[in-house]
Amino acid sequence: MNTTGIVSRMPLPGPLPSSMQLNEQGRLRHLLTIEGLPRALITEILDTAESFAAMNEQAVKKVPLLRGKTVVNLFFEASTRTRTTFELAAKRLSADVLNINISTSATVKGESLLDTLRNIEAMYVDMFVVRHEASGAAHFIARHVAPHIAVLNAGDGRHAHPTQALLDMFTIRRHKGDFTKLRVAIVGDILHSRVARSQIHALNILNTGEVRVIAPKSLLPACVETLGVHVFHDIREGLKDVDVVIMLRLQRERMEAGLLPSEHEFFQLYGLTEERLALATPDCIVMHPGPANRGVEIDSRVADGPHSVILEQVSYGIAVRMAVMGMIMGGASGGGANA
Amino acid sequence: MRLAIDNGRVIDPASGIDAVTTLYVGGDVIAGLGEAPTGFVPERRIDADGCIVMPGVVDLAARLREPGFEHKATIASETRAAASAGITTLVCPPDTEPPIDSPAEIELINRRAKKATGVFVYALGALTAGLKGQQLAEMAALKRAGVPGVSNALRPMGSPLLLRRAMEYAASHDLTIFLHPIDWSLASQGCAHEGQVASRLGLPGIPEAAETAALGVMLALTEQTRARVHFCRLSTARAVDMIARAQEDGLPVTADVAAHQLFLTEMDVADFNSLCHVIPPLRTQRDRDGLRRGLKSGVIGAVCSDHQPHEADAKLAPFPATQPGISALETLLPLTFRLVEEGVLSLVEAVARLTTGPAQILGISAGALATGRRADLCILDPRAVCEIKPETWLSQGRNTPFFGWSLNGVVTYTLVSGRIVHESTRT
């Protein structure tokens, strides 16, 4: 029996470098953040996802790549949609899936995050898909889990949501091909968005022609331009000639925190309408990580209109997550679906 | 005990002495310098050849964690660590549990400190009852119990009006007020400097203005009330400039900086290193350089450890969920001396910022080596390499981002009231 998972280890605090997500051969060991991933690796993930996307459209949607592996969806923050796509991805690779929802109130009761991890890893599992409200949680877990367990970040605080960014890149690539000629605008609450941060890194690694962010200052992080974006406060200027518009979800709490006066005014200034979309290129695509607040950040006519690829994003999400899981645990690459 | 410390470079910024000479200790005081006092026959001689003999370090901020947080550290463990690090006097902030807001807590701390190494422990009294920022603490009673000043530590004051009243009241009782210039509303839920690193990591930020806005209000109230105010733990270059101007204008204000702020910046947080989670946060290189300049010019009169020992679990969580603070008693002296090597301070300035500077801020007579003064001193071998290995520390807190650093300067002896409380086994 493999007992490496329950050997007691003395954990020590210290730096949690993102470089730990790659092994000595430069292969994915964990997926924690997009930042620092080589372009070739992102391209390989997207290529692998292509083969799974084709498979997902077939009648039999299952391969035995991860048979005998156990994936644990460890969600410290509620999310049915994201968890479901991870669950489907794992099941289509024939892995066993365990869903564990831990409300933070349970951890407040005295069990530390490390205790929780120790208990679950003692069940001989192979991968943690982690969502947590604190930035850096996935790095922390990757550093302290048993060495044979891989960690897939499904969203940590405001920091990163790498699989969402990858599925967005997949969607853009399917529609637009070459990134170097594209203008991409991300609109809305950049400050609190882990999705936006991961998208910005991915777009820049893929050499996107221009990455723009469009938001009022109160929804932009400090020094946002150092992430490699051009900043616009006026949506009309920002949308001019863009090829891809990515709308972000606006949480109601932002009004309460005094960052915005009202949903109404936000829609007036930053909501994506058909009229504003006309400022973009004629074949511009409209994306949203979901769930969209219709009438707050996006008009229903745009969300359901001909430029929208929002539902495609959801289905590609499964293929991309299969690719990442397959590459980390099953050695899949390129023609992963045929393995 | 009668003691002769031979051939050391005796540095005493208070009297301006900087000479290789012999220092004599008789009983609990310094019996003489240079020539032995008549009839003085030492029972023991210490050869300090090549070493620096300096006043014991006065540390303006060290959490001892007692009462209330004995799982982190105790007065006994931390004063032992202080002695080993050349610290002979230290100040503990009032944020214990219960807070130091009545003479009872001060008596308890004094009693336990006396039973320990003998390192002098001064407790700061609370500025408000229970540090709740709502009602003034009984400052006159605290003063009678011996506090050198009052502070609300890292807890918000209810309003600028209450702060004004507290300053007026403290000034009436000739108490120095130790204020942390942090606007807690602007700091919000932040855990790192609001700048490019926090933005990249998605960590809630604490803007520079959290410090400068609070400082602006506090300086205006100082002018209004003429209270004696000491500003604790500056983290921004702008705050240094503001205090420099206030001092030029003749306001009775002083300031200190934590040693780690003189070396680390926001970049050290870049890998979610919870050991670098501190409040106020590590800021930019420009801020670090501004703090260094302020220390050199004397606008910042003291370097302190800002010692905050933690159990390992306090730092083993995702960054925002970890407890801020660094265990720092045992790095204070070698880090400050590193500033001499880096050309930031002269040796005498470095000693002054650790001894006379903080002693003046506290209004106590420690931190000097003149004949007749209490013999609180330490001997430091500047050639010996101090490897930062927390596993060998005496402090119960091992939480240091400096582990693995190699610094020059090992404390070979520490004397408190003429008694050897630390003797290095390494040389």
Side-chain angles (χ1 to χ4, degrees):
Chain A
M1 188 191 280
N2 171 17
T3 56
T4 52
I6 50 173
V7 175
S8 77
R9 301 179 303 278
M10 182 63 102
L12 288 172
L16 309 171
S18 297
S19 56
M20 69 178 148
Q21 63 185 343
L22 300 181
N23 67 17
E24 296 83 9
Q25 289 79 45
R27 310 292 306 159
L28 265 190
R29 225 186 92 44
H30 308 286
L31 180 59
L32 309 176
T33 175
I34 296 290
E35 191 184 2
L37 288 183
R39 188 186 315 154
L41 187 60
I42 292 182
T43 307
E44 187 186 334
I45 295 170
L46 302 185
D47 291 344
T48 310
E50 277 294 348
S51 57
F52 286 120
M55 191 195 84
N56 282 334
E57 285 155 20
Q58 290 162 12
V60 179
K61 301 180 178 61
K62 204 157 179 165
V63 285
L65 188 65
L66 299 183
R67 193 156 55 198
K69 302 277 186 187
T70 306
V71 174
V72 179
N73 280 328
L74 197 53
F75 276 55
F76 294 86
E77 206 181 64
S79 160
T80 313
R81 282 162 2 95
T82 306
R83 205 205 61 213
T84 308
T85 58
F86 274 107
E87 186 173 350
L88 260 181
K91 284 180 170 166
R92 288 188 182 168
L93 295 169
S94 308
D96 294 316
V97 181
L98 186 63
N99 290 318
I100 301 182
N101 297 320
I102 302 169
S103 70
T104 30
S105 61
T107 46
V108 166
K109 276 176 196 152
E111 192 183 53
S112 77
L113 178 51
L114 273 184
D115 290 335
T116 310
L117 288 184
R118 292 282 173 270
N119 276 292
I120 301 168
E121 72 184 21
M123 300 171 193
Y124 305 108
V125 301
D126 301 283
M127 174 178 267
F128 285 156
V129 176
V130 182
R131 169 165 288 193
H132 198 286
E133 66 192 348
S135 299
H139 282 66
F140 174 77
I141 291 169
R143 163 52 64 94
H144 294 291
V145 283
H148 68 277
I149 297 178
V151 174
L152 211 171
N153 186 3
D156 62 324
R158 306 176 184 180
H159 172 236
H161 193 350
T163 57
Q164 176 70 45
L166 288 168
L167 76 88
D168 294 332
M169 297 310 110
F170 185 86
T171 309
I172 295 173
R173 194 174 78 162
R174 274 218 155 176
H175 284 270
K176 299 287 178 188
D178 187 8
F179 282 83
T180 59
K181 295 182 183 65
L182 297 182
R183 285 201 184 92
V184 179
I186 306 171
V187 188
D189 185 3
I190 315 285
L191 176 64
H192 298 92
S193 178
R194 52 193 171 216
V195 173
R197 281 177 181 76
S198 286
Q199 287 166 339
I200 291 167
H201 287 304
L203 288 165
N204 281 318
I205 292 169
L206 293 171
N207 265 340
T208 304
E210 185 188 357
V211 185
R212 300 177 177 179
V213 293
I214 306 174
K217 274 192 175 181
S218 57
L219 295 182
L220 288 171
C223 317
V224 65
E225 64 288 345
T226 61
L227 296 174
V229 295
H230 292 149
V231 179
F232 292 81
H233 302 307
D234 180 336
I235 194 168
R236 293 176 172 280
E237 280 174 43
L239 287 184
K240 212 164 279 171
D241 301 324
V242 299
D243 304 283
V244 179
V245 186
I246 302 175
M247 301 305 296
L248 297 172
R249 180 177 164 77
L250 185 78
Q251 313 266 5
R252 186 155 283 128
E253 299 96 87
R254 308 306 172 223
M255 267 59 74
E256 288 148 24
L259 293 162
L260 291 172
S262 66
E263 290 180 351
H264 174 76
E265 178 150 314
F266 184 78
F267 186 72
Q268 291 299 310
L269 294 177
Y270 296 98
L272 188 62
T273 58
E274 286 181 320
E275 176 225 348
R276 284 173 180 163
L277 188 57
L279 297 164
T281 56
D283 57 349
C284 173
I285 58 170
V286 174
M287 299 168 65
H288 194 300
N293 292 315
R294 288 152 187 266
V296 178
E297 68 258 357
I298 190 164
D299 192 304
S300 279
R301 275 166 295 187
V302 177
D304 303 326
H307 297 276
S308 169
V309 296
I310 295 172
L311 288 176
E312 274 178 60
Q313 286 174 273
V314 178
S315 50
Y316 295 155
I318 298 164
V320 166
R321 284 163 182 141
M322 287 172 79
V324 173
M325 287 178 173
M327 284 170 67
I328 292 176
M329 284 189 291
S333 73
N338 309 319
Chain B
M1 171 139 79
R2 288 183 307 279
L3 197 66
I5 300 167
D6 295 316
N7 306 321
R9 180 175 171 188
V10 177
I11 300 179
D12 179 32
S15 59
I17 296 166
D18 178 3
V20 174
T21 183
T22 298
L23 185 146
Y24 300 93
V25 174
D28 61 355
V29 296
I30 290 165
L33 273 157
E35 293 293 305
T38 41
F40 188 93
V41 183
E43 294 160 74
R44 182 171 174 188
R45 303 197 82 96
I46 291 172
D47 182 14
D49 185 34
C51 292
I52 291 162
V53 180
M54 59 181 267
V57 174
V58 178
D59 184 357
L60 285 181
R63 259 88 175 173
L64 306 179
R65 302 303 195 191
E66 200 179 344
F69 305 98
E70 289 82 355
H71 61 292
K72 294 184 186 291
T74 62
I75 291 171
S77 70
E78 301 317 286
T79 52
R80 225 171 18 245
S84 79
I87 298 164
T88 55
T89 297
L90 55 79
V91 176
C92 68
D95 51 359
T96 50
E97 188 50 53
I100 306 173
D101 67 353
S102 77
E105 290 84 31
I106 294 164
E107 275 159 34
L108 175 117
I109 290 168
N110 288 344
R111 204 168 52 240
R112 300 220 171 133
K114 247 173 227 132
K115 267 208 320 219
T117 54
V119 164
F120 289 93
V121 175
Y122 287 94
L124 287 182
L127 194 55
T128 60
L131 293 175
K132 291 193 176 112
Q134 300 301 326
Q135 195 179 334
L136 300 189
E138 292 180 354
M139 291 183 224
L142 291 166
K143 164 107 178 172
R144 278 197 301 278
V147 301
V150 283
S151 168
N152 221 47
L154 291 167
R155 310 280 174 84
M157 291 294 282
S159 69
L161 175 64
L162 183 74
L163 178 60
R164 176 194 169 170
R165 301 293 186 227
M167 289 168 80
E168 286 170 338
Y169 195 77
S172 317
H173 296 282
D174 196 29
L175 279 161
T176 304
I177 308 166
F178 289 66
L179 292 178
H180 291 258
I182 300 175
D183 182 312
W184 293 100
S185 153
L186 285 172
S188 189
Q189 301 297 307
C191 62
H193 170 65
E194 185 178 295
Q196 54 173 310
V197 173
S199 289
R200 205 159 50 75
L201 297 180
L203 294 174
I206 300 176
E208 178 192 53
E211 180 159 303
T212 51
L215 185 57
V217 170
M218 289 167 177
L219 284 172
L221 291 175
T222 306
E223 201 163 359
Q224 177 84 37
T225 62
R226 288 284 150 174
R228 196 165 59 238
V229 176
H230 174 71
F231 291 107
C232 307
R233 312 315 97 77
L234 299 192
S235 72
T236 66
R238 283 218 166 84
V240 177
D241 295 342
M242 290 167 74
I243 288 171
R245 271 198 302 279
Q247 288 173 343
E248 277 165 29
D249 292 348
L251 285 190
V253 294
T254 52
D256 72 57
V257 63
H260 57 256
Q261 289 284 0
L262 300 164
F263 291 91
L264 306 175
T265 66
E266 60 172 343
M267 298 309 290
D268 292 287
V269 173
D271 287 332
F272 289 114
N273 187 354
S274 62
L275 294 171
C276 292
H277 181 190
V278 287
I279 300 292
L282 300 171
R283 298 196 185 269
T284 65
Q285 179 103 14
R286 194 183 63 82
D287 290 306
R288 193 205 66 171
D289 294 346
L291 292 166
R292 285 178 163 204
R293 278 195 302 277
L295 190 65
K296 168 81 182 171
S297 69
V299 169
I300 297 174
V303 185
C304 67
S305 71
D306 196 18
H307 178 62
Q308 297 181 41
H310 283 296
E311 75 284 14
D313 281 352
K315 291 288 185 183
L316 282 167
F319 190 97
T322 56
Q323 295 176 42
I326 291 174
S327 178
L329 288 173
E330 287 159 85
T331 49
L332 174 60
L333 219 157
L335 281 176
T336 308
F337 274 67
R338 173 74 167 251
L339 295 172
V340 179
E341 278 171 57
E342 294 188 18
V344 177
L345 299 179
S346 71
L347 185 56
V348 174
E349 284 163 347
V351 173
R353 302 294 180 264
L354 289 168
T355 59
T356 36
Q360 275 167 12
I361 288 164
L362 286 172
I364 59 171
S365 64
L369 290 180
T371 303
R373 301 292 280 273
R374 197 172 67 211
D376 296 348
L377 58 91
C378 75
I379 306 175
L380 176 105
D381 184 349
R383 299 154 304 184
V385 176
C386 170
E387 306 277 359
I388 308 299
K389 280 191 227 155
E391 66 274 18
T392 66
W393 281 3
L394 294 176
S395 169
Q396 241 166 268
R398 304 284 157 86
N399 48 299
T400 175
F402 296 105
F403 69 87
W405 282 43
S406 201
L407 301 165
N408 288 330
V410 169
V411 174
T412 53
Y413 291 87
T414 306
L415 275 71
V416 175
S417 303
R419 207 161 48 81
I420 297 175
V421 295
H422 165 73
E423 192 170 345
S424 170
T425 50
R426 280 196 279 179
T427 46

